[in-house]
Amino acid sequence: MKNYMFVLVLFGLIVSCGPSDRQEEKLKDLIAEWKNTSEKVADLSEQVGNQMYLLETKKEENGTTEMIPIRFQGEESNCETAYKTLRKDIDEFIAVWKENSLKVDQLTNNMAVGKWTVEDDESLKALDLEVKERDVDIEQWLNQLMELKENCGINTESSNS
């Protein structure tokens, strides 16, 4: 009888440790949002790189090495510094994003093998919040990029997406 109860309790623990349908749905939503945000930041990074290249090309064509002064986000700056700052922010974001992508992969693996813990639940919530916050950052960076394109005079049709 004790063996039967032990097996029954063990089975109950195994079944209860698996992810619920709700958790599976949340993870699927997170993965879709994560992929979308990853694509947006990759596109943004490419756009910033293209704009930096166009800025350098424009300076070379004009035969100047002087920095192009602008007013950016209400402060005096120059195109080169503003683009480099934007590039640095995006690169830092990408490094953290890659680390967090490993956490998303781990959650996916845990879900696939049916090992779901309280820590996985907490991680899922944290990553869901992370993707929403980062989408806001990307929107701000896109707005900054548009402002830079206009202020630096390199707002080209081919660099818009």
Side-chain angles (χ1 to χ4, degrees):
M1 184 70 169
K2 285 183 180 181
N3 287 341
Y4 177 72
M5 287 296 279
F6 176 74
V7 170
L8 186 60
V9 169
L10 184 60
F11 179 75
L13 286 173
I14 291 172
V15 170
S16 67
C17 291
S20 68
D21 290 343
R22 185 170 167 253
Q23 291 163 325
E24 287 181 22
E25 192 62 37
K26 282 184 171 184
L27 183 58
K28 286 178 187 176
D29 291 345
L30 173 66
I31 291 168
E33 287 182 65
W34 203 268
K35 180 180 177 189
N36 184 38
T37 300
S38 296
E39 290 170 357
K40 286 194 287 189
V41 78
D43 182 56
L44 176 61
S45 180
E46 183 179 340
Q47 285 185 58
V48 170
N50 289 343
Q51 290 301 116
M52 291 176 78
Y53 174 78
L54 290 172
L55 179 63
E56 280 301 311
T57 302
K58 179 180 177 180
K59 283 175 57 177
E60 287 173 9
E61 287 173 355
N62 293 338
T64 182
T65 58
E66 294 179 25
M67 295 195 178
I68 302 169
I70 58 168
R71 186 153 186 84
F72 179 63
Q73 296 185 323
E75 296 180 18
E76 295 297 321
S77 185
N78 62 66
C79 291
E80 292 83 349
T81 301
Y83 272 114
K84 286 178 183 176
T85 300
L86 184 57
R87 161 64 52 201
K88 181 179 174 259
D89 290 345
I90 293 169
D91 287 347
E92 288 172 356
F93 167 87
I94 290 172
V96 171
W97 192 254
K98 285 180 181 180
E99 290 174 19
N100 286 332
S101 292
L102 296 175
K103 294 177 185 176
V104 173
D105 291 343
Q106 184 62 44
L107 287 179
T108 304
N109 291 338
N110 290 353
M111 180 80 62
V113 297
K115 289 183 179 179
W116 196 260
T117 65
V118 172
E119 290 82 19
D120 291 332
D121 248 355
E122 292 169 1
S123 184
L124 179 62
K125 289 176 187 172
L127 291 166
D128 187 52
L129 180 60
E130 176 81 11
V131 76
K132 286 171 179 39
E133 289 174 351
R134 297 305 159 213
D135 278 340
V136 171
D137 290 341
I138 291 169
E139 287 303 314
Q140 290 174 342
W141 291 329
L142 282 169
N143 290 335
Q144 290 175 4
L145 179 61
M146 296 314 279
E147 183 181 347
L148 282 173
K149 286 178 179 181
E150 291 173 14
N151 291 341
C152 296
I154 50 176
N155 190 7
T156 62
E157 287 299 316
S158 63
S159 62
N160 288 334
S161 30

